[in-house]
Amino acid sequence: MLLYKNDFGAGKYVPFEEHINNMKAYYYDSLQESSKEWENSNNDYVPFIENFLSTLYMCYKELDKRFNVVNSNKITKTARIEAVLGKMIKEEKIICIGKARASKYIKNNNI
């Protein structure tokens, strides 16, 4: 599931699964809590629903933050670099190797 907002022709996406993955422990805890007494039909869905809604809220906050960066007059250097790298990856001009701090970018020679 992706949250999507289109503003002035620029779409922004926030992957819901990424947020679940980042908070994996809470997700599994809420799932386990909601499954208690399932065999007796006495389980409680509230912990799972609360987790789902809080994750959804975090996604909307992230989406809003991304648009505030794009629509503000002062864009940080980090935000500009991330935007340019994202565009170059999308256009397949560069390839990302590794994740997080171990990320490296190389020119795509297949173009």
Side-chain angles (χ1 to χ4, degrees), residues 40-93:
N40 304 328
S41 296
N42 291 327
N43 59 312
D44 183 14
Y45 296 109
V46 172
F48 183 78
I49 292 171
E50 286 175 342
N51 179 272
F52 175 81
L53 291 175
S54 66
T55 305
L56 188 61
Y57 177 71
M58 287 189 307
C59 289
Y60 275 110
K61 282 181 67 171
E62 175 69 22
L63 187 65
D64 190 50
K65 183 174 77 173
R66 290 181 185 187
F67 267 89
N68 285 336
V69 167
V70 170
N71 293 331
S72 70
N73 292 332
K74 186 176 180 180
I75 298 175
T76 65
K77 289 180 186 179
T78 303
R80 278 186 257 156
I81 291 168
E82 289 173 349
V84 170
L85 284 174
K87 182 179 178 186
M88 291 176 78
I89 289 170
K90 192 174 192 177
E91 293 173 354
E92 298 180 350
K93 292 180 180 178

Side-chain angles (χ1 to χ4, degrees), residues 18 21-22 96-105:
E18 180 180 310
N21 195 37
N22 291 341
C96 180
I97 299 173
K99 292 187 179 188
R101 291 184 178 186
S103 295
K104 294 179 183 171
Y105 301 90

